[in-house]
Amino acid sequence: MSSTSTHQPCDHPVRDVAIVVLIATVACLVAAVIVMSLNGGPLETVTGSGTTFLAVFAAGMTVLSHVRRA
């Protein structure tokens, strides 16, 4: 690793992060309902909803960092 990394600290307002978390939570719940409606078991439901939460949260934070830079 380089010692001249361009890592920038997170300086997002709590409000913006809370909005991203709430959107990810809603997507997570929708994914759980879809998996359960397709007769998925408990493990598939938890796995699908957890994966959806992580993906939507990561995408939301990436979008948030790009929007805040502009």
Side-chain angles (χ1 to χ4, degrees):
M1 276 182 69
S2 173
S3 63
T4 60
S5 176
T6 60
H7 177 73
Q8 297 183 11
C10 178
D11 59 349
H12 305 299
V14 174
R15 173 186 50 106
D16 293 341
V17 176
I19 290 170
V20 171
V21 169
L22 289 174
I23 291 170
T25 303
V26 169
C28 171
L29 293 173
V30 168
V33 169
I34 290 171
V35 172
M36 285 189 289
S37 70
L38 296 172
N39 294 328
L43 183 60
E44 289 89 4
T45 303
V46 170
T47 304
S49 62
T51 303
T52 302
F53 180 84
L54 290 176
V56 171
F57 181 75
M61 291 305 289
T62 302
V63 168
L64 186 61
S65 69
H66 285 293
V67 168
R68 298 294 281 167
R69 257 191 252 163

